[in-house]
Structure formats: C-alpha cells, structure tokens
Amino acid sequence: MTTTESTFDVALFGEAMLLLVANEPGPLENATGFYKRTAGAETNVAIGLARLGLKVGWASRLGTDSMGRALLAAMQGEGIDCSHVVCDATQRTGFQFKERVTDGRDPQVEYHRKGSAASQMGPADVDEAWLRSARHLHATGVFAAISDTSLQAAIRTLEVMRAAGRTISFDPNLRPTLWSSPETMRHWINTLATYADWVLPGMEEGVFLTGETTPEGVARFYRERGAKLVVVKLGAEGAYYDSATEGTGHVPGVPVAQVVDTVGAGDGFAVGVISALLAGQPVQAAVRRGAWIGARAVQVLGDTEGLPTRRSAGGGL
C-alpha cells in the first residue's frame, strides 16, 4: 500500500497517562508541586511522528475525568487522529509521578494505572478496517503488558497488519512490574517481536530477552526469527544495526552537554528510525536520525518536549 492510498502513515494502540513531574529535585514524597505532561510509550511515538508531518492514528481508552480530557486534547492538538479513542465515563485514566533529577540517572517513576480505562481494551477494540488503512503499525511491549485483554488486543493488531502486508515496528519497552513474572515477560515480548519487520531493543533489554551479551548476538537472535532489521540501542555509544538488505553497522551516539531526563529517549529513537524508513531513507541514515532525536529527548524535563518538528529540526533530519 502506498502513502497516497493510505488514510494513515502509522497506527498505534496504547495507553496515555497524565505525567506529573516534580518541580524540584529530591524524593517524590517531598515534592510539593508538579508540572503536567503527557506520557505513554505509544503516545510519545505518535506525537513525535505527527510533529514530523506523518499522518498518525492512535486508538485507546480514556476516562472522562479531567486527566482524560487533558490527554485527549493534547493528542488532538498534535494533529493525531483520535477517532478510535473511547472516552468511558465508568473508567478512570491512568497517571504517573516522576522524580526530578539533576545527575543524569534514571528518575524514579511511580505508576497509578492498575484498572485504568486503557487496561480494559481487548480484541473487540481493534477496528480492523481502520487499522489496515495505515501503511505501518508501531507496537511496544507496554500496551501488551497492562492486562490480559490488552495483550490479546496487541496480538490481534499484529496479526491484522502482518496479514495485510503492512510493515510493523516493535520496541520491547520492558515493564517488569506489569508482568506476572520475568519468564512470562520474556515469552510474550519475544512472541510479539516475531511479528515485526523492525525490532528496536535496548542492549540491557536484549541481554535479558535473548541471553546474548553482545549487540551482534542480540540482533542475530531476532533476525533469525524473521526480523528484517534489528537496531540495538547502546545509549551514549549510539546503536548497532543488522539489516537484511543493507548489512550491519554501528552509528555513534550524539554528544549531549547535560542529561536532564532519560525517560522517553527510546521513544524518540523510534520516532527517528520509523520516520526515516517510511520516507525511504537508508538504514544507516534512519539510525542516525534515531540517535539524534533520542539525544534531544534526554535534554528536556518531559517525555515529548524534545521531539522536534520539521521546522525546529533544521538540518538535524
């Protein structure tokens, strides 16, 4: 399917949460004020792709509470199609608190999402015709982890798009606290990855998921299971890629003067890789764009403030 025949460039299913970032460093329990932001792995990617001019559709469930209304308005304000977001007055919207850090370490994040509206999603929420109107699906391990029914919904989205011949990208985005056990998480994440054309694990994730201890080994694990491209994120060291059509290589990291907040870097990386590949750019250029956007993401307080528009990117794209 070509872009002109598609309603959307990219479709995503996932949970949006209201993010409350502490306004000063220190333990969360000592914080007295918070900044409101959006959060969610899939929504971060949706926002990033929309800012780069792609047509994006996002499906989810929200409560009709103030948090749900704020999140829906934010997503619509980014130009994202939210026609398949259900606002349910009987359910509540998930939210999270995030610690403010100043030393570059991963901040403490406290989630309040159990039983949220999005966790009630299941296969019946997958509008297959709407989904097939996109030329690409981006999926993560987060949506699959929030409930048994969302796992089945995630599998259905992958089945539909694979059967339709669309491309699929998958970011493991491990959330151990959402799974019943590490073994269950490993099984389902690796199962989901077998549907994808492009798999985007972090190195630490890859070690856990594959048992391999090198980027080459992690990439080979998923390539042997059907992935056409695997990009292993190496943090400040950049990324290693293994492509069925363009071979292997390493792209160096983009230097960052100060790391403000590491959360969202992987989502920014996905934005760069997906947007470039859908534009027909070579793999190396796509990985380079991913590293550049990921580096921007760690220099800001929230998850999406560093995601560029085409205008703000200048020569970065």
Side-chain angles (χ1 to χ4, degrees):
M1 176 176 281
T2 64
T3 307
T4 56
E5 296 169 334
S6 306
T7 301
F8 303 111
D9 293 305
V10 184
L12 306 95
F13 284 70
E15 180 178 34
M17 290 177 290
L18 192 73
L19 170 61
L20 299 168
V21 187
N23 63 2
E24 57 187 19
L28 277 173
E29 60 268 26
N30 295 339
T32 58
F34 296 86
Y35 297 99
K36 289 171 62 175
R37 301 286 192 274
T38 62
E42 296 85 5
T43 53
N44 291 343
V45 175
I47 290 170
L49 293 172
R51 288 184 185 173
L52 293 179
L54 280 78
K55 296 178 181 178
V56 179
W58 170 63
S60 188
R61 281 182 175 266
L62 296 166
T64 56
D65 46 33
S66 62
M67 292 186 290
R69 296 194 301 272
L71 290 166
L72 182 60
M75 297 298 283
Q76 290 172 330
E78 296 284 353
I80 295 167
D81 178 90
C82 298
S83 62
H84 282 63
V85 176
V86 175
C87 297
D88 188 341
T90 69
Q91 302 294 332
R92 61 183 181 83
T93 306
F95 65 97
Q96 61 177 266
F97 292 104
K98 184 163 69 173
E99 176 190 18
R100 178 77 176 269
V101 297
T102 56
D103 56 4
R105 62 183 170 84
D106 291 344
Q108 177 191 354
V109 181
E110 184 177 284
Y111 296 95
H112 296 266
R113 72 199 314 177
K114 186 176 178 60
S116 68
S119 72
Q120 309 304 309
M121 294 178 73
D125 290 287
V126 180
D127 182 330
E128 297 183 11
W130 177 84
L131 179 55
R132 284 192 296 266
S133 73
R135 62 182 178 126
H136 181 81
L137 170 70
H138 179 64
T140 85
V142 182
F143 179 55
I146 59 177
S147 71
D148 291 340
T149 57
S150 70
L151 171 60
Q152 296 308 310
I155 293 170
R156 188 61 191 146
T157 65
L158 294 163
E159 290 174 340
V160 168
M161 291 299 265
R162 181 149 187 170
R166 312 293 190 263
T167 52
I168 300 169
S169 52
F170 180 71
D171 187 337
N173 252 318
L174 300 185
R175 297 293 187 272
T177 59
L178 296 179
W179 294 96
S180 60
S181 70
E183 293 74 25
T184 299
M185 176 170 68
R186 182 186 293 112
H187 166 76
W188 282 116
I189 293 296
N190 283 336
T191 298
L192 296 168
T194 63
Y195 289 91
D197 301 280
W198 313 330
V199 181
L200 310 173
M203 185 61 204
E204 186 175 344
E205 292 175 326
V207 171
F208 169 80
L209 291 167
T210 70
E212 300 288 345
T213 57
T214 65
E216 293 83 359
V218 172
R220 184 170 56 250
F221 179 93
Y222 291 111
R223 288 274 290 111
E224 290 175 348
R225 286 157 178 78
K228 297 180 178 66
L229 169 66
V230 182
V231 184
V232 183
K233 294 167 284 189
L234 305 174
E237 297 178 11
Y240 171 83
Y241 65 86
D242 184 338
S243 165
T245 57
E246 299 179 43
T248 63
H250 175 264
V251 170
V254 175
V256 173
Q258 181 182 10
V259 176
V260 174
D261 186 345
T262 57
V263 178
D267 299 328
F269 188 92
V271 168
V273 172
I274 295 165
S275 62
L277 291 177
L278 290 180
Q281 293 196 19
V283 168
Q284 187 177 64
V287 177
R288 189 179 301 116
R289 181 187 288 189
W292 181 75
I293 296 180
R296 285 177 58 98
V298 304
Q299 298 179 70
V300 297
L301 186 61
D303 294 1
T304 60
E305 284 82 346
L307 299 175
T309 63
R310 286 204 169 273
R311 176 175 294 182
S312 69
L317 300 182

